[in-house]
Amino acid sequence: MLEHFEKPQELFAYRLGSAMTMESDSLQMLADLEQAASSEEVKEMFRHHAGETRQQIENLEEVARVLHLELTDEPSPTTKGLAKEGHTLLRKADPSLRDDVAVSVALGTEHHEISVYQSLVATARTLQVSQVVHLLSANLDQEQHTSEELVAKAKELADARS
Ligand SMILES: [Fe+2]
């Protein structure tokens, strides 16, 4: 691992490695949230996005292949922090609140993922490799779509209580 980045490509390679770790943390998080959620509908949302996440990991591997980069697992402290916070909230929440908590924890992860892919897509555009832009944009679109679904579900759960 490089200790000092001088070129955008070096930073890009590192962030790609962090994104791999982020997505594998995300897979674990989605499995935990599926288990924690009460309703079958919310569980299904997490199962569905876990399938997309596996595809996203393949997309990241493809990006590395196209750019001839060695894909290394780099740190992703944000997802570790989100998981820690999520587990604490789930532990403290009454079973009747588990869906609300699981959806809000997932939303936090999606927003982080969106910011990571927005940065990667921005750099990928400067590399001028359209296939890489396409692969990373596909991941970004899925995260954005998931985040919109989660916001709608959070609102639905809140409305059901009022
Ligand atoms: Fe995601």
Side-chain angles (χ1 to χ4, degrees):
M1 176 180 91
L2 277 173
E3 295 296 331
H4 182 75
F5 312 121
E6 287 182 358
K7 298 181 188 138
Q9 294 90 328
E10 292 167 354
L11 180 60
F12 183 84
Y14 181 87
R15 298 209 71 191
L16 202 62
S18 289
M20 275 300 275
T21 307
M22 172 185 82
E23 291 301 358
S24 85
D25 286 351
S26 182
L27 265 186
Q28 181 60 54
M29 169 83 94
L30 288 163
D32 292 350
L33 293 177
E34 184 197 335
Q35 207 179 19
S38 316
S39 77
E40 190 48 42
E41 202 189 332
V42 173
K43 284 178 185 286
E44 177 52 31
M45 284 178 80
F46 297 140
R47 269 196 296 271
H48 175 74
H49 193 53
E52 289 181 334
T53 302
R54 278 186 274 274
Q55 177 62 53
Q56 289 170 9
I57 289 172
E58 285 177 25
N59 286 356
L60 291 174
E61 288 168 344
E62 183 64 15
V63 167
R65 264 193 299 275
V66 170
L67 295 175
H68 306 290
L69 293 172
E70 192 194 339
L71 192 53
T72 50
D73 287 332
E74 301 296 353
S76 173
T78 307
T79 41
K80 302 289 187 290
L82 286 165
K84 197 172 168 191
E85 186 185 14
H87 288 135
T88 302
L89 282 170
L90 287 168
R91 202 173 53 244
K92 289 176 186 278
D94 185 78
S96 64
L97 295 171
R98 292 265 171 79
D99 280 348
D100 304 65
V101 170
V103 166
S104 73
V105 169
L107 189 57
T109 305
E110 293 311 312
H111 277 255
H112 171 61
E113 291 170 340
I114 287 168
S115 73
V116 166
Y117 285 119
Q118 282 173 331
S119 300
L120 285 172
V121 168
T123 309
R125 287 193 202 286
T126 68
L127 299 176
Q128 295 190 321
V129 184
S130 60
Q131 197 184 351
V132 169
V133 174
H134 175 77
L135 287 161
L136 292 169
S137 298
N139 285 14
L140 175 58
D141 287 350
Q142 284 183 336
E143 309 299 22
Q144 280 173 326
H145 180 70
T146 302
S147 137
E148 283 161 18
E149 281 183 348
L150 288 165
V151 169
K153 178 50 83 177
K155 189 173 178 309
E156 186 190 311
L157 289 166
D159 286 350
R161 290 182 199 288
S162 57

